[in-house]
Amino acid sequence: MINFLIARIFQIPISLVIILCITFFLIHAAPGDPVASLAGDFVTAEYRDLIIKHYELDKPLPIQALIYFKNIITGDFGNSYYFKDSVLNVIGSRIIPTLLLVIPSVVISSSLGIYLGFLSARSNSVSSRISLPVSTIVITSIPTFWLGYLLIFIFSIQLNIFPINGITNARYSYEGLYYYADVAFHLFLPLLTMVLSQLAQVILLLRLKLMYEIRLPYFITAKAKGLSYEEAIVSHSLQNAILPVITVIGNRFSFLITGSILTETVFAWPGLGRLMIQAIEVRDYPLVLGILFILSVIVMVLNLLTDLVYTMVDPRITFKSHG
Amino acid sequence: MKIFTVIILFLIPFTVFAEKTLVLATSSDPGHLNPGITTGYNVHVFADSIYSGLIMLDKNLQPEPDLAESWSISDDAKNFTFNIRKNAKWHDGKPVTSEDVKYTFENVLFKYHSRTKSGLGKQVKAILTPDPNKVVFQLKSSYSPMITRLNVTEAPILPKHIFSPGNPNDHPANLKPVGSGPFVFKKYNKGESVELIKNKNFYLEGSPHFDRLVIRIIPDSVTQLLALESGDVDYIDRVPGSELKRLQNNSAITIARNTAGPGGGNCIVTITYNLDRDKTSNLEVRKAIAHAVDRDRMVKQVLFGLGRVATAPINKGISWAHVENALQEYDFNPQKAEGLLDQAGYQRKNDGVRMDLDIVHFPRFSKYIEAMKQDLAKVGIKLISRALDRSAAVSTIFGKRDFDLNLISYCNGADPDIGVKRMYVSSNIGNIPFSNGAAYRNLLIDSLFDEAGKTADTNMRAAKYKNIQNILADDLPYWWLVERQFLTAHNSKLKGFRSWSGNFALKAK
């Protein structure tokens, strides 16, 4: 177990170097440069050269890569061309709103999804067997941005309860506790959008696995020894059925860190997804690479955690090396 | 009013609400707040309220006093003297002096503000500072557009004591600006908003009216509009044409149409012909395309009526230089287009296609491309469109010159010398964004543009620009499609927005 952990942790920096190498050359290979977005229009040739020189973009690509990696080792991610600020500062200001959206949405959608999936597998009634899966599929099939508009239309325009977008009220600047209340208030609709768009996957996956499990011989045995249908599911089947669900939840987390772009755009939420798109559009190379770096670390750590959770849930899975 | 907000309102100390806040919305992050080192709209829409220029432009783009309370021009239009207000102060309390003006032009604008660098930068011989409140620009030759090029968008004045010495590109004050304008910088929440507060020592009596100005970043134009309709936001700087009908029926919202906006104005959506390519270097082909595209339909279906068919290479907004009938001969006439293509030797092949043409454009212009595709297909030209993001399109068009046609919205600005000349003079061919993309070379045009810039008398200038436009109409290096309008919308309870300029909140009430 310990050996496995050490090996896995050592893999992380190696993977990071590979990821950064590939993305460094890919982003520089994309046509275009940061000049047009930095200078505006009406640029002269010498001004163009000035910008290119200033950001050392005139050096050969391998040299640029060497400089970049040398700086990375010392913890210097460089300065964003567009924001004229250190890459870590820029990312730092945008990662909190993203986590605020992603963590609760994954937690809520998976716990709710597990509960509802369990409900729908447990009962034989039409409502839970058919209508629950069908309705969740319908909701999940709605494109995220449209679902966002729909919720804005219902809750902000018609009912006039929640704000249309933003993270705080711009007209009044709150402080202290009121500030947090204001943020929570603004969080509601984007969070609901994210939860609804993820819910079906967990429900349907768990339901499918449970339906499979209850047909296996051990389930009949469990019932034969006197357990009720529900008791048998809770104490025996759920553990088996939940494994793929854990994988899905782990993947969700990683995906959503930047995958919430549509929700962030519709609700003008100042998150990392929007930052990423903007950084790519203006060819802000240090910022793109910085975001990818942070993102890769998060994904790898989450994968590791997912694997650890596996061993806890299913004792059959161990990390002993074979042979 | 939202229920929850009401609850919070009761909980908050009363003092907060004595403040009057104006909330604006725009679509993208400024990044930094130094208007001297970029012409980008994304920076100017924020920073132009923090800084000021020597003059500002009124609704007709004519100069009125800003930092300079008065000015005089020598008879030969070579010496411009500006008297700076004695009560003009930087936000840190220091006075604004002629040294600041000199520093800004010589060390920042002439180096890093691309429009001012390429326009005024070439004209100015020396900047003199006879006393702290007087600055004199000595020009190499007379230059009529001088004064209109000194507003906050073209020439924001920066504080020398903050920026000097050092490189203004990397200066920390780019993120903590100290200006002399109507609003003082308070906070930049990345991806969310920029908060400004009223400059209590502002030199113009009674301005600004609001205690706080918050400019929110709302990327999606539909939710921007919804925020305006619900009252969360007071002013938005663009309105999608498709929503116009609905908005016009809403009396709570007022729509303003302008031919100019901060960062540019008098824009013409233009097709560039690549004169280095065989097919598009053929004048008959270029004329055929001009006859084949239904520009009236473009105004109706793409612009929703918000604009007009371009009738000359210079926008109608620059009325003294615009020649109304310069493009008269190119009526919408597919038969004529087919005739011209036959003459040029491009017969229809078995599949009915005469030629393929490749067109590069930004994704947001795809509706123009759709309309063109249909029109050109009728005369046997197959248009192959390549939508590239801004950075990629700029390098493909101006760097690699890899296109037959491209479609760009070129803004003429306040004077033909700012935004017209750059498209046509041969010195502007090369890897420069938004330059002479056609690679059009005509020595007569080059010299006419130079002469027009040096001429002081407006009538004589107009005659030169008329001559230029007639030559361009014959040579057809570009095809001018439609003139766009800029739409802004605001809450009808408020008025006084200067929506054509950078400091639009200056006189808002």
Side-chain angles (χ1 to χ4, degrees), chain B residues 87-287:
Chain B
N87 59 346
K89 296 255 188 315
W90 295 107
H91 295 159
D92 61 5
K94 297 211 165 64
V96 180
T97 68
S98 52
E99 282 299 321
D100 292 313
V101 177
K102 184 178 163 74
Y103 165 80
T104 303
F105 276 91
E106 289 177 351
N107 296 57
V108 184
L109 299 173
F110 288 167
K111 284 185 180 160
Y112 306 109
H113 189 286
S114 49
R115 269 199 302 261
T116 298
K117 175 188 166 69
S118 57
L120 219 50
K122 290 182 188 142
Q123 308 288 340
V124 172
K125 191 166 70 185
I127 298 174
L128 308 178
T129 54
D131 74 58
N133 295 98
K134 187 168 281 185
V135 62
V136 181
F137 289 78
Q138 288 188 337
L139 306 191
K140 289 176 191 149
S141 54
S142 60
Y143 184 61
S144 334
M146 172 79 187
I147 295 205
T148 52
R149 304 197 66 154
L150 297 175
N151 67 341
V152 65
T153 307
E154 301 301 324
I157 304 301
L158 307 183
K160 183 183 179 186
H161 67 279
I162 301 274
F163 279 96
S164 172
N167 182 343
N169 259 311
D170 290 330
H171 204 280
N174 293 348
L175 296 174
K176 286 194 170 61
V178 177
S180 58
F183 290 95
V184 180
F185 174 78
K186 189 178 170 209
K187 205 170 160 206
Y188 172 19
N189 310 302
K190 292 190 178 72
E192 187 191 346
S193 66
V194 171
E195 293 178 43
L196 310 175
I197 50 175
K198 178 180 183 165
N199 177 3
K200 294 201 178 79
N201 303 316
F202 191 55
Y203 46 82
L204 292 181
E205 280 295 306
S207 297
H209 181 70
F210 285 91
D211 300 307
R212 283 173 80 229
L213 170 63
V214 179
I215 307 180
R216 287 188 53 195
I217 300 148
I218 304 179
D220 182 70
S221 61
V222 175
T223 47
Q224 244 185 41
L225 197 60
L226 292 176
L228 176 72
E229 288 176 284
S230 74
D232 286 2
V233 164
D234 300 316
Y235 176 100
I236 58 176
D237 64 353
R238 58 170 182 172
V239 178
S242 51
E243 302 287 333
L244 192 67
K245 268 219 172 93
R246 188 165 66 81
L247 274 187
Q248 278 167 338
N249 295 329
N250 184 347
S251 61
I253 309 281
T254 305
I255 296 170
R257 295 176 183 213
N258 287 290
T259 53
N266 296 327
C267 303
I268 305 180
V269 178
T270 308
I271 298 173
T272 307
Y273 296 113
N274 187 344
L275 300 180
D276 293 339
R277 291 259 168 108
D278 274 351
K279 286 177 260 184
T280 37
S281 65
N282 187 325
L283 181 61
E284 277 154 342
V285 171
R286 301 206 296 273
K287 283 186 173 172

